[in-house]
Amino acid sequence: MLKKILITTLPAISAFALHTAEININDRDLELNAKFDMGQFNSSIEPNTVFIGGRFLNGQKENSRLENGDPVTNIDPFYEVSFLMKRAVGDMGMSFGMGVKLNYTKDFSTIPLGLEFEYVIPAKKLVPMYVYGSVYYAPSALSFSKAKDFVGYRVSYDIELIDNGRVTIGYRNINTNYDAVGGRVVYNDSVYAGFKFAF
C-alpha cells in the first residue's frame, strides 16, 4: 500500500517542483531570468513554495525616458537577485507570493518588497494558460547609492504549448528615482515576448 502511495505521489510532487529559465525580447531589450525551487534541494521545504532567482535586463534608451517625457541619453544594464515565498490559495489554480529583491545598476541600488500573483485559466480542453502579475516597491529607507526609491510592476499571459515549455507575452514597467539625473527615470516601459522553460 505504501509503495502505491509513493509511486502515485512522487510524480505529482516533482511536477510542481520545478526550476525555471526565461528569455524575453522585444525590438530593443533582452531579459534573462532564472528561478530555483528550493524544495528540490532541501527535503524540509515544501516544493513550489520557496524560490531564489536572478534577472538580467539589458534595456535600451529607446524604451526608457524621464518621467517628464524627455529622452534618456544612456542607461546601464539592470541586475536583480530575488527571494520569493508563495502558496496556493484553495484548489482553483490561484497562488500568491511575497518577495524581496536586490536590484542595481551602476548608480542605483534598492531592496524592494513586493507581491506576486499567478492564476491557471480553467480551460482544460485547450492548452494550459496562465496569467501572472507582480508589483514591487522600495521607499527611500530601502534605497542606496544614489537611489531615492523604486517601483516596478509587470503582467504576463503564458501558453504552455509543450510540457514544461511556455510562450509568454507581457508588459513591464520599471521606475527608478536617483540623484544622477535629478529625477525619476522610467528605466524600461515595454511589451515583450519570450519563452519559459521548467526543469
Side-chain angles (χ1 to χ4, degrees):
M1 182 67 178
L2 180 60
K3 185 176 179 181
K4 288 183 180 179
I5 292 173
L6 287 173
I7 289 173
T8 57
T9 304
L10 287 176
I13 291 173
S14 63
F16 293 101
L18 297 173
H19 310 304
T20 59
E22 181 177 354
I23 179 169
N24 297 318
I25 59 171
N26 55 33
D27 60 336
R28 302 287 181 181
D29 309 314
L30 168 66
E31 181 180 43
L32 304 174
N33 180 34
K35 285 184 180 178
F36 298 96
D37 187 338
M38 294 296 99
Q40 288 200 41
F41 301 118
N42 189 335
S43 60
S44 66
I45 298 175
E46 187 179 344
N48 201 38
T49 58
V50 179
F51 297 87
I52 292 176
R55 184 183 305 273
F56 166 76
L57 173 58
N58 188 25
Q60 301 298 313
K61 62 182 182 180
E62 288 82 2
N63 287 331
S64 302
R65 67 180 188 280
L66 297 178
E67 192 176 42
N68 62 15
D70 291 343
V72 175
T73 57
N74 184 42
I75 61 171
D76 298 306
F78 182 87
Y79 300 91
E80 182 179 273
V81 177
S82 62
F83 175 81
L84 173 69
M85 293 187 71
K86 73 174 189 177
R87 292 288 186 273
V89 179
D91 57 355
M92 300 182 65
M94 189 180 304
S95 63
F96 286 94
M98 298 185 302
V100 58
K101 298 182 176 184
L102 167 62
N103 54 42
Y104 58 96
T105 66
K106 181 180 176 182
D107 298 317
F108 183 91
S109 179
T110 61
I111 303 177
L113 307 177
L115 299 173
E116 300 194 14
F117 164 83
E118 187 174 46
Y119 177 64
V120 181
I121 298 173
K124 294 181 180 179
K125 293 184 179 180
L126 302 174
V127 295
M129 294 177 284
Y130 308 82
V131 176
Y132 166 82
S134 69
V135 59
Y136 280 81
Y137 172 69
S140 59
L142 296 175
S143 301
F144 310 98
S145 186
K146 297 180 180 179
K148 294 181 180 178
D149 59 47
F150 170 89
V151 178
Y153 56 91
R154 69 171 59 218
V155 293
S156 68
Y157 168 73
D158 299 352
I159 302 173
E160 189 171 349
L161 294 180
I162 61 174
D163 287 344
N164 299 329
R166 301 183 190 179
V167 173
T168 183
I169 300 170
Y171 166 76
R172 65 175 167 249
N173 186 285
I174 299 173
N175 283 271
T176 59
N177 186 13
Y178 56 99
D179 291 333
V181 295
R184 182 173 295 278
V185 176
V186 180
Y187 177 88
N188 193 265
D189 183 25
S190 63
V191 175
Y192 61 85
F195 295 148
K196 291 181 182 178
F197 302 101
F199 54 95

